[in-house]
Amino acid sequence: MAKKIWILSGAGLSAESGLRTFRDHDGLWEEYDVMEVCSIEGWRRDRDKVTRFYDARRAQLAHVLPNAAHYYIASLEERYPDRLINMTQNVDDLLERAGCCHVIHLHGTLTDLRCEECGSVFHIGYAHQEGFCCPKCGSARVRHNVVMFGESAPAYRHLYEAMDEAGLFIAIGTSGQVIDVGSIAERVALSVFVNPKREEEPRWGREIGWLDERFDRFIQKKATEAIDEIEEVIREFVANL
């Protein structure tokens, strides 16, 4: 069975569309204590504050558009329908709006709510949460469908499946602070790291170093600027299958 192309995207992919990240200069961490709005402890302490935060993120998302890198990934999905694993750490819907139909959202989806009673997930688009009830059981106890710090991430099972299926791993716009992409890179035959800057790797049980050093190739560019080089790598990989 032919090995697959695995693309794992992070916040840097959507930052070029104008969605601010937490970690960058002028990022959301300058306005919020991340543990107050993005952790299960913060949620239990002040549900209203966390709900307002995600309402604001949804409203912001309504006014941004996919960029060239989103559209490029959509084109890959069309060209390699049975060979592309399209996985993202992002909770926005920009990949879908660019035309992607098979996106694995590792951390949930901002445009959905989740029922705390029955677990159903339902779409609300860019609306505020107030007034929504679960369409399945009628409960008013609903919340954002985004995985918070301190919660399990059920979709992570796809990470382990992809490690066995992929022959080419391309990490785009991720800092490696949440998912240990360096270890993934060392388990896949060919790996590419796409990022405009070098990222200092978290310890993950080893000495601190540069994350890109664990990949076979480092494309030090923004995602939209790296499209031609990514395409070159993919074409060569497919040609050698």
Side-chain angles (χ1 to χ4, degrees):
M1 179 174 153
K3 287 291 187 178
K4 295 184 177 182
I5 303 160
W6 177 11
I7 293 182
L8 173 60
S9 56
L13 178 70
S14 295
E16 290 192 75
S17 289
L19 285 181
R20 293 165 61 199
T21 68
F22 274 106
R23 292 185 172 86
D24 288 339
H25 174 68
D26 193 33
L28 289 172
W29 273 353
E30 295 185 7
E31 296 178 13
Y32 297 93
D33 180 334
V34 68
M35 298 310 289
E36 289 184 4
V37 294
C38 295
S39 73
I40 192 63
E41 292 85 0
W43 170 243
R44 290 167 178 160
R45 186 165 49 246
D46 193 339
R47 291 172 64 103
D48 287 342
K49 181 176 183 177
V50 176
T51 297
R52 290 194 302 272
F53 174 80
Y54 285 106
D55 280 347
R57 303 284 72 74
R58 232 176 273 117
Q60 178 194 21
L61 180 57
H63 299 288
V64 299
L65 297 172
N67 61 52
H70 292 108
Y71 284 106
Y72 174 66
I73 294 172
S75 76
L76 291 175
E77 197 176 88
E78 185 176 355
R79 280 186 283 158
Y80 308 108
D82 300 318
R83 195 171 290 170
L84 185 74
I85 303 170
N86 185 5
M87 202 174 290
T88 187
Q89 295 173 252
N90 299 333
V91 297
D92 61 63
D93 64 347
L94 296 181
L95 282 166
E96 285 86 353
R97 281 200 268 161
C100 293
C101 298
H102 305 287
V103 185
I104 298 171
H105 284 272
L106 296 170
H107 297 145
T109 45
L110 186 58
T111 52
D112 296 320
L113 295 182
R114 185 165 80 243
C115 178
E116 295 182 276
E117 296 292 336
C118 71
S120 294
V121 174
F122 58 97
H123 188 70
I124 66 164
Y126 313 108
H128 282 203
Q129 179 179 315
E130 184 178 2
F132 280 95
C133 294
C134 176
K136 183 174 182 180
C137 72
S139 174
R141 285 187 60 81
V142 296
R143 53 158 281 186
H144 51 284
N145 185 45
V146 175
V147 176
M148 295 182 285
F149 291 112
E151 288 187 301
S152 63
Y156 274 26
R157 71 183 185 278
H158 296 293
L159 290 170
Y160 308 108
E161 295 168 359
M163 285 184 215
D164 293 329
E165 297 176 352
L168 170 60
F169 174 55
I170 305 175
I172 301 176
T174 177
S175 66
Q177 297 292 319
V178 176
I179 294 175
D180 185 4
V181 293
S183 290
I184 294 174
E186 293 179 343
R187 291 186 55 176
V188 178
L190 179 62
S191 59
V192 180
F193 184 56
V194 181
N195 214 51
K197 61 183 180 181
R198 299 193 77 186
E199 295 283 358
E200 191 173 58
E201 188 182 22
R203 287 193 178 276
W204 297 115
R206 64 194 295 276
E207 291 300 316
I208 290 177
W210 294 108
L211 181 57
D212 59 88
E213 292 176 345
R214 302 183 72 184
F215 286 76
D216 296 308
R217 180 168 176 179
F218 178 30
I219 302 176
Q220 193 169 3
K221 294 179 179 179
K222 295 179 180 180
T224 56
E225 298 169 350
I227 289 172
D228 288 345
E229 290 180 62
I230 296 171
E231 177 68 12
E232 179 185 344
V233 172
I234 290 175
R235 285 187 181 276
E236 184 175 343
F237 172 76
V238 171
N240 290 327
L241 289 177

